[in-house]
Amino acid sequence: MTPARRATGPAVPGPAAVPATTGPEPARRRRGTDGGHSPAPADRLPGTVDGPPGRIEVSPGPTRPREPEFRRPDRAELAAAADRTIPDVIDQGLTVLFVGINPGLWSAATGWHFARPGNRFWPALHRGGFTPRQLHPSEQHTLPGYGLGITNMVARASARADELTPAELVTGARTLTDKVALYRPTWVAVVGVTAYRIGFARPKAGFGRQPEPLAGARLWVLPNPSGLNAHFTPQTLGAAFGALRAAVVGDPPPAVG
């Protein structure tokens, strides 16, 4: 039985985020001959082109990010967001499922993944070639139209990822494994090597492709795009995401049938 699709629109609890404009509707998905899903060509976002199943192909498009106006959550609203959860952006048969460590307080207050100003996930996603322009976090619901999704290893929000316990990461790794088995993405990209090492008991794991799959998906580890990670610049983060995209494009899933 195919699991019910989860809502991918930006959930905006309370007054923390009030977009001034409405983003594009999520692209409708159709089942391909390989058993996966791909966006219907008429519904593709500007800048995307058709390609073989499992590939992500992006043609040049505008690079200026869309900047909806919204009120910044205040200190009280951020404090109240601790331990909240936010919905995944997920669908069956995605090309790449990105896995954050856990939501930050900005994400929990707005309902948008990687929402804190200064987080470099969305710029790196564009620099790496996954999107034709830099998306605003409020546009996260459009990601499945590119074959992309977002979830987290640990669901509860915190101010910093280092507030999580090792036991939470181990439990989160098991939950993630079950989720991957259920939704069957082609690739899983864990965004944070330290969390991956602890959660999956791989103390010597490095960045890039991992030798073992995760519930049948090809597994990749990326640097943490948090602004607190001073080891990576926007340029080197973009290059790391670009290396993943090159692997995705160069190693498509085998055709079925």
Side-chain angles (χ1 to χ4, degrees):
M1 178 179 297
T2 302
R5 287 184 59 176
R6 302 189 184 182
T8 59
V12 186
V18 184
T21 58
T22 301
E25 291 296 321
R28 296 192 301 272
R29 302 178 67 79
R30 57 182 172 85
R31 182 170 294 276
T33 57
D34 64 342
H37 295 262
S38 58
D43 294 332
R44 282 186 177 269
L45 298 175
T48 61
V49 295
D50 282 325
R55 290 179 180 264
I56 298 176
E57 300 188 43
V58 181
S59 63
T63 58
R64 179 180 297 177
R66 175 176 170 271
E67 293 289 352
E69 296 178 4
F70 64 93
R71 184 174 65 80
R72 296 166 66 96
D74 60 29
R75 289 186 179 182
E77 290 165 339
L78 290 174
D83 296 325
R84 284 184 190 167
T85 62
I86 62 175
D88 293 336
V89 178
I90 199 166
D91 198 359
Q92 281 286 316
L94 295 171
T95 303
V96 183
L97 178 63
F98 291 94
V99 182
I101 301 171
N102 74 313
L105 298 184
W106 268 78
S107 290
T110 62
W112 303 330
H113 293 270
F114 302 103
R116 183 182 177 87
N119 190 292
R120 298 165 294 176
F121 174 82
W122 298 100
L125 197 68
H126 170 56
R127 284 177 180 268
F130 284 101
T131 58
R133 61 178 175 85
Q134 182 179 321
L135 300 179
H136 186 270
S138 65
E139 297 178 284
Q140 64 181 16
H141 62 286
T142 66
L143 286 178
Y146 296 106
L148 309 174
I150 304 176
T151 186
N152 287 288
M153 188 176 294
V154 176
R156 77 172 182 92
S158 65
R160 295 171 58 103
D162 58 13
E163 295 176 20
L164 302 177
T165 66
E168 285 181 289
L169 292 170
V170 170
T171 300
R174 294 172 184 160
T175 301
L176 175 63
T177 302
D178 291 341
K179 188 176 297 184
V180 171
L182 183 65
Y183 284 93
R184 303 183 66 81
T186 303
W187 290 82
V188 171
V190 178
V191 184
V193 68
T194 300
Y196 174 76
R197 288 170 177 168
I198 296 172
F200 287 92
R202 300 285 190 272
K204 296 183 179 180
F207 297 112
R209 186 164 183 176
Q210 304 303 302
E212 65 282 338
L214 181 64
R218 297 158 193 171
L219 184 59
W220 194 278
V221 174
L222 288 165
N224 185 346
S226 168
L228 299 175
N229 183 1
H231 297 290
F232 287 85
T233 67
Q235 291 74 24
T236 56
L237 276 171
F241 276 65
L244 168 60
R245 184 181 181 275
V248 171
V249 172
D251 191 12
V256 176

